[in-house]
Amino acid sequence: MKEDTYFEAVHKIITAGHMITDSINRLLKSSGSTEPQYNVLQILSIKKDEALTVDQIQDGMVQRNSNVSRIVDKLLANGLVTRIECAENRRKKDIKITKEGLEYLKELNLVVEYYHSPMMEKLEKKELESLKFLISKLTSD
Amino acid sequence: MKEDTYFEAVHKIITAGHMITDSINRLLKSSGSTEPQYNVLQILSIKKDEALTVDQIQDGMVQRNSNVSRIVDKLLANGLVTRIECAENRRKKDIKITKEGLEYLKELNLVVEYYHSPMMEKLEKKELESLKFLISKLTSD
DNA sequence: GTACAACATTTGTATATACTTATATAATAA
DNA sequence: TTATTATATAAGTATATACAAATGTTGTAC
C-alpha cells in the first residue's frame, strides 16, 4: 500500500534528520558550542562580508523557533559575532561574524566533517542527487 | 563535487525532518497534545495488548533524549496510559495504552493524516521506495 | 550470605525552547 | 502633525529538555 510506504519514508526522514542533529549537537558541546550556535555561525560565514539581520538568520535556521536574539547574545559574549544597529533601518540589527568567529567555525567544521566522513561514502554521487531531488519534490508546495 | 552534493542532501534531510515534526507538533498542541506524547502513544499502540518498558519506548522515540518517565507522567494524568511495576523485574515498569488512549490517538491521527495528505501525493510509490532505500543506505553502519 | 557492579527508572537542576508581550522604529493615512 | 498599523528585535515567563545524581532492584564474585 502506497500510504504505508509514504509513512515509512517520512519516518525515515524524520529520524535521520533528528539523529544527525542530535549527534552533531553532542559533538559540538564537547567543543564548547551547540548546534544552533554553529548554525548561526555557518549562516553568517556564507556571506561573511555582509551583515545579516536577525530575520535573515532565522530563515536559515534548522530549528525555526530558535530565538536568534538570544543565540546571538551568546556568540557576542564570546566575541564570535558583532551586532550593531542597522544604519538604514534602526529596527534592524546588522550581525556579522568576526575573524575569531571564522577561526572558531573552522575548528567546529573539522569536528562536523569528521562526523560526516563515514556517512559520506555510503552513497554514490548519483544517489545523493536522487535523494536531493526526491526530498525537494516531497516538500515542494 | 560529491562532497557538496552530500552536504546538500543531508541538509535537505535535516530541514525536512525538523520542519515536519515542528508542523505536527504545532497541530497536536491545538488538540491538547505534543509530538513526544503522540510519539509515545503511537509506539504503545503498535502492540497494544502487551506492555512496554520505559527503555523500549525510548528506543522508538524520534527525540532520543526525551524523558519518557515524565512524558508518561502526563499521559497517565490524562488516563491515556497505565504504568505498573513489572512482575518479573521490579526495576522495570509495564506501560500500556488505555482504551481512552487509543480513542484519543485516533483523533490525533486524523489531525496528522490531514497534515500529510497533500504531501502524500507528491511522490509515486516507486519514488517513496527509492527514498526509503537511500536513507537506509545512508544511515546504515 | 555480603559486598559490589550493573541496570531501570525517577528526580533534581540548570539551561533552552516556545510562546506571549513589550519596546522601539518605520510606514501610512487622516 | 499625530494617530494607527506594521515591522524588527528583545524580554518575560512557563514549560520542556539535557545531563547528572539518586533510588531501588537485580546479578555476580567472593
Side-chain angles (χ1 to χ4, degrees):
Chain A
M1 200 185 172
K2 187 183 168 183
E3 191 178 314
D4 293 339
T5 313
Y6 168 82
F7 281 111
E8 286 160 15
V10 167
H11 189 258
K12 278 199 183 291
I13 294 173
I14 292 172
T15 50
H18 281 267
M19 186 266 281
I20 295 169
T21 48
D22 281 6
S23 304
I24 290 176
N25 191 40
R26 210 165 303 117
L27 284 173
L28 291 174
K29 284 193 176 173
S30 317
S31 302
S33 194
T34 64
E35 199 279 327
Q37 287 184 36
Y38 174 71
N39 202 176
V40 170
L41 289 177
Q42 272 244 311
I43 292 164
L44 290 173
S45 75
I46 293 165
K47 299 182 177 177
K48 61 171 173 291
D49 295 320
E50 70 181 77
L52 295 182
T53 66
V54 170
D55 254 11
Q56 288 173 315
I57 295 170
Q58 188 76 268
D59 283 345
M61 296 296 283
V62 169
Q63 282 126 314
R64 349 172 133 145
N65 289 320
S66 303
N67 194 328
V68 173
S69 295
R70 285 197 260 235
I71 296 171
V72 169
D73 286 345
K74 283 169 203 151
L75 297 173
L76 201 61
N78 294 318
L80 304 174
V81 301
T82 56
R83 174 172 58 189
I84 60 167
E85 202 173 67
C86 176
E88 298 88 53
N89 187 337
R90 296 192 315 170
R91 286 174 298 188
K92 300 187 180 181
K93 294 289 165 68
D94 280 339
I95 300 156
K96 259 181 154 170
I97 191 165
T98 62
K99 200 158 62 65
E100 292 75 27
L102 284 167
E103 288 299 315
Y104 185 55
L105 181 59
K106 268 187 205 165
E107 282 178 46
L108 298 183
N109 275 332
L110 288 178
V111 173
V112 173
E113 275 160 26
Y114 183 76
Y115 165 80
H116 282 290
S117 57
M119 265 168 69
M120 203 159 342
E121 305 308 317
K122 297 283 180 186
L123 297 182
E124 302 302 322
K125 189 161 190 297
K126 269 202 170 314
E127 292 178 312
L128 290 168
E129 272 158 6
S130 172
L131 193 48
K132 273 177 61 182
F133 169 76
L134 292 171
I135 298 179
S136 297
K137 195 170 171 190
L138 180 70
T139 56
S140 63
D141 8 65
Chain B
M1 201 184 173
K2 188 184 168 183
E3 193 179 313
D4 294 337
T5 312
Y6 169 82
F7 281 111
E8 287 161 14
V10 167
H11 189 258
K12 275 196 184 295
I13 293 173
I14 292 171
T15 50
H18 281 267
M19 186 267 282
I20 295 168
T21 49
D22 281 4
S23 304
I24 290 176
N25 191 40
R26 209 164 305 118
L27 284 173
L28 290 174
K29 284 193 176 174
S30 317
S31 300
S33 194
T34 64
E35 198 281 326
Q37 288 184 36
Y38 173 70
N39 201 173
V40 170
L41 289 177
Q42 273 245 310
I43 292 164
L44 290 172
S45 75
I46 293 165
K47 299 181 177 179
K48 61 171 173 290
D49 294 322
E50 71 182 76
L52 295 181
T53 65
V54 171
D55 254 11
Q56 289 172 312
I57 295 171
Q58 187 78 267
D59 283 345
M61 295 297 282
V62 169
Q63 279 127 313
R64 341 177 136 146
N65 289 319
S66 303
N67 195 327
V68 173
S69 294
R70 284 197 260 235
I71 295 170
V72 169
D73 286 344
K74 282 168 204 153
L75 295 173
L76 200 60
N78 294 317
L80 305 173
V81 301
T82 56
R83 175 173 56 189
I84 59 168
E85 203 173 67
C86 176
E88 299 88 54
N89 188 336
R90 295 191 314 168
R91 287 175 295 189
K92 299 186 183 182
K93 295 289 166 67
D94 281 338
I95 300 156
K96 258 181 157 172
I97 191 165
T98 62
K99 202 159 59 66
E100 291 76 27
L102 285 167
E103 288 298 316
Y104 185 54
L105 181 59
K106 267 186 206 166
E107 281 178 48
L108 299 182
N109 274 332
L110 287 179
V111 172
V112 172
E113 276 160 26
Y114 183 76
Y115 165 79
H116 282 290
S117 56
M119 265 167 70
M120 203 160 339
E121 305 309 317
K122 298 281 181 185
L123 297 181
E124 302 302 321
K125 189 160 191 295
K126 270 203 169 313
E127 292 178 311
L128 290 168
E129 272 158 7
S130 172
L131 193 48
K132 272 177 61 182
F133 169 77
L134 291 171
I135 297 179
S136 298
K137 195 172 172 191
L138 180 71
T139 56
S140 64
D141 9 66

